[in-house]
Amino acid sequence: MVLKIDHLTGGYAGVPVIKDINLEIKPGEALGLIGLNGAGKSTTIKHILGLLRPQKGKISVNGIELSSNPSAFKKQVSYIPEMPVLYPELTLQEHLELTILSYNLDKEKAKKRAKELLQQFRLDDKLDWLPIHFSKGMKQKVMIVTAFLADTQLLVIDEPFTGLDPLAVANLIALIKQAVDNGKMILMSTHILADAEQAISNYAVLNNGTIEVVGSLQQLREHYGLKAADSFDKIYRILNQEQQHA
């Protein structure tokens, strides 16, 4: 049981954005994917989701390769996008039912889990609402609820904290910790490291389409020569300087 990315090169229209990426996430591990805008984070995520076809390399979850068995691969993965994507004609209740059908979940267990998640994110009285009635933050909560309802082995989370109120952020962090404790794999892209570090143990730094370093916050501090008084966000300034001199 592992997410394995082997020598992945990919991008758009034949132009490589990410180059020879090797990455592995084991059960019970939450990995943060960080880097400047344009570093390749979104491109990496799109490849993992099967939205882009690799130019080289392969991606597998639990030994199931995306290229050879995309349907089985995708049943192992749930996704929380940066911008919520909901069906405008479906109510919240119907979004939950669609998730249950798509992942072939046990209906009774899934309904019980959905009720818990809806109460946690204060959506339990919104089941008949259409997406047009939801704020951006509420739509994001719907994406979180459906992703964790799916109960997949791998959760891919892209900039999840944008638009969430502090209570929802705390609830999401608690869910990530719980998923890790249950042996799930988490890949999260974020710039908000103060929140991320509460749930994430290791980080992969993308710079100009390559992984520069993988390790804990302390290991990243040592790699970039940060002093004890330096904010972790100084890494972004260092990455920017590296790009300017590349």
Side-chain angles (χ1 to χ4, degrees), residues 79-85 136 140 143-144 156-160:
Y79 174 49
I80 302 173
E82 179 178 7
M83 295 299 295
V85 181
K136 198 271 185 184
Q140 188 73 343
M143 301 304 297
I144 293 168
V156 179
I157 307 175
D158 190 6
E159 296 289 350

Side-chain angles (χ1 to χ4, degrees), residues 72-88:
F73 179 95
K74 290 176 182 179
K75 283 187 179 295
Q76 306 285 318
V77 183
S78 54
Y79 174 49
I80 302 173
E82 179 178 7
M83 295 299 295
V85 181
L86 299 173
Y87 294 99

Side-chain angles (χ1 to χ4, degrees), residues 59-74 76:
I59 304 168
S60 64
V61 170
N62 300 340
I64 301 170
E65 284 192 29
L66 174 59
S67 59
S68 60
N69 198 343
S71 178
F73 179 95
K74 290 176 182 179
Q76 306 285 318

Side-chain angles (χ1 to χ4, degrees), residues 3-8 21-24 44 48 58-59:
L3 168 70
K4 198 167 186 179
I5 300 174
D6 287 318
H7 299 287
L8 178 65
I21 284 181
N22 293 285
L23 201 58
E24 190 173 286
T44 301
I48 294 171
K58 60 184 181 180
I59 304 168

Side-chain angles (χ1 to χ4, degrees), residues 143-164:
M143 301 304 297
I144 293 168
V145 168
T146 55
F148 280 91
L149 176 62
D151 195 32
T152 57
Q153 292 299 313
L154 171 66
L155 288 97
V156 179
I157 307 175
D158 190 6
E159 296 289 350
F161 302 118
T162 306
L164 292 181

Side-chain angles (χ1 to χ4, degrees), residues 87-95 123 125-135 138 142:
Y87 294 99
E89 70 279 10
L90 297 185
T91 65
L92 170 55
Q93 177 68 51
E94 289 167 332
H95 277 90
L123 293 171
D125 59 346
K126 309 290 191 301
L127 286 169
D128 294 329
W129 284 30
L130 291 167
I132 193 171
H133 299 125
F134 288 124
S135 67
M138 292 171 73
V142 175

